[in-house]
């Protein structure tokens, strides 16, 4: 019997907590870390097998790899940064896209059934990688003074409001930007998993009561949520990489 007195095990923050699988030297290794590690190995293994011995006439695995690679390269990087500037950032963006997508898709995989991105530490680290690249490129392209103008939107024509704009843009770009970049991914995966768990548990709970018709409705909603989550998981990977490219575009843009 749950704390709410009706017996329904309502999902909550406890749905995102996992006991350690193993503890080595005081370091706890849990299910989420295992899924993140498996995700890394899957991405590396897939692209190694797909392109390790690339052929002029590609096999099935190479064709799938090329399709995924070209989707990110042409559909995101080239569209945002252009072919000439964007080519050097394609490997990073492809890695980010597929790493995030697979981390998300664990949510609907039996036995795993948990999106790694719903633990904010993982989106934060990925956002930090993009942040470091963005800051480094801005310094390299514009120098210290140019970096200041780039991140503050410095423009003498703004007149009396210039100091206010500089302060707002400075905090927005250097502090708020990496936070929102990570939270956008985290919040969508967190909410999606919570909804999916709720309908799944509700289906089982209602099936074991006199409200069997309601269980059928809940089960249908579970299927709908799974299909919707599959869409959202891909979209969130796309949006994360699209924003990363837009930040790099801003770093490379000339400030007037």
């Amino acid at each position: 019997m749950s704390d709410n007195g009706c017996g329904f095990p309502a999902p909550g923050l406890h749905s995102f907590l996992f006991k350690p699988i193993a503890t080595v030297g005081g370091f706890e290794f849990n299910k989420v870390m295992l899924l993140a590690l498996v995700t890394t190995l899957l991405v590396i293994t897939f692209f190694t097998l797909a392109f390790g011995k690339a052929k002029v006439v590609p096999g099935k695995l190479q064709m799938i790899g090329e399709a995924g690679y070209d989707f990110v390269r042409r559909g995101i990087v080239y569209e945002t940064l252009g072919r000439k500037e964007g080519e050097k950032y394609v490997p990073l963006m492809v890695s980010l896209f597929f790493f995030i997508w697979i981390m998300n898709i664990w949510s609907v995989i039996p036995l795993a059934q948990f999106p790694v991105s719903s633990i904010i530490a993982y989106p934060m680290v990925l956002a930090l990688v993009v942040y470091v690249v963005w800051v480094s490129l801005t310094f390299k392209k514009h120098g210290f003074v140019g970096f200041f103008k780039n991140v503050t939107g410095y423009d003498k024509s703004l007149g009396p409001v210039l100091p206010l704009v500089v302060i707002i843009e400075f905090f927005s770009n250097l502090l708020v930007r990496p936070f929102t970049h990570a939270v956008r991914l985290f919040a969508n995966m967190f909410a999606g998993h919570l909804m999916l768990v709720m309908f799944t548990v509700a289906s089982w709970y209602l099936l074991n009561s006199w409200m069997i018709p309601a269980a059928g409705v809940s089960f249908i909603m579970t299927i709908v949520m799974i299909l919707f989550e599959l869409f959202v998981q891909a979209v969130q990977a796309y949006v994360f990489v699209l924003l990363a490219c837009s930040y790099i575009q801003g770093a490379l843009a000339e400030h007037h």
Side-chain angles (χ1 to χ4, degrees):
M1 183 70 70
S2 65
D3 293 337
N4 58 20
C6 70
F8 177 69
L13 292 179
H14 62 275
S15 302
F16 298 84
L17 301 175
F18 296 92
K19 294 180 180 179
I21 297 174
T23 302
V24 181
F27 179 79
E28 296 182 345
F29 188 81
N30 62 22
K31 177 181 177 178
V32 184
M33 295 176 184
L34 176 61
L35 292 176
L37 178 60
V38 173
T39 299
T40 304
L41 294 176
L42 282 176
V43 173
I44 293 173
T45 301
F46 173 77
F47 282 103
T48 299
L49 293 175
F51 299 114
K53 295 181 180 179
K55 300 177 181 178
V56 177
V57 180
K60 292 181 179 179
L61 194 62
Q62 186 179 332
M63 287 180 64
I64 295 172
E66 287 179 353
Y69 191 88
D70 273 349
F71 169 74
V72 178
R73 179 174 63 178
R74 299 180 185 278
I76 305 177
V77 181
Y78 284 3
E79 288 292 325
T80 308
L81 298 171
R83 186 187 184 98
K84 182 179 179 181
E85 288 289 350
E87 189 61 43
K88 67 184 73 173
Y89 304 105
V90 171
L92 172 62
M93 297 307 165
V94 169
S95 300
L96 283 173
F97 179 87
F98 284 99
F99 185 68
I100 293 169
W101 182 46
I102 295 176
M103 282 202 306
N104 293 346
I105 213 169
W106 285 120
S107 174
V108 296
I109 302 298
L111 299 181
Q113 296 173 308
F114 188 84
V116 178
S117 302
S118 64
I119 301 297
I120 196 169
Y122 295 92
M124 283 299 294
V125 169
L126 296 177
L128 182 61
V129 169
V130 175
Y131 180 79
V132 170
V133 171
W134 168 64
V135 170
S136 301
L137 283 174
T138 307
F139 263 115
K140 183 179 179 180
K141 177 75 176 180
H142 305 286
F144 180 79
V145 175
F147 174 82
F148 175 80
K149 291 181 177 180
N150 188 286
V151 300
T152 60
Y154 183 86
D155 186 347
K156 289 183 179 179
S157 65
L158 293 174
V161 300
L162 178 60
L164 180 61
V165 171
V166 167
I167 293 172
I168 293 174
E169 287 294 312
F170 179 83
F171 282 99
S172 174
N173 288 322
L174 289 182
L175 299 178
V176 178
R177 174 179 286 184
F179 178 75
T180 56
H181 196 193
V183 168
R184 184 179 286 103
L185 172 60
F186 155 74
N188 278 278
M189 291 301 100
F190 182 91
H193 181 64
L194 207 58
M195 292 293 290
L196 194 56
V197 170
M198 183 182 71
F199 283 114
T200 303
V201 173
S203 298
W204 178 255
Y205 174 76
L206 293 170
L207 189 64
N208 289 276
S209 70
W210 60 272
M211 299 181 67
I212 295 178
V217 174
S218 183
F219 179 74
I220 292 173
M221 284 303 301
T222 301
I223 301 300
V224 171
M225 283 301 302
I226 289 175
L227 295 175
F228 182 68
E229 274 298 289
L230 286 170
F231 172 73
V232 171
Q233 289 157 5
V235 167
Q236 287 305 310
Y238 177 88
V239 170
F240 190 95
V241 173
L242 181 64
L243 288 173
C245 287
S246 70
Y247 298 156
I248 291 175
Q249 181 191 43
L252 299 176
E254 293 293 339
H255 183 83
H256 300 286

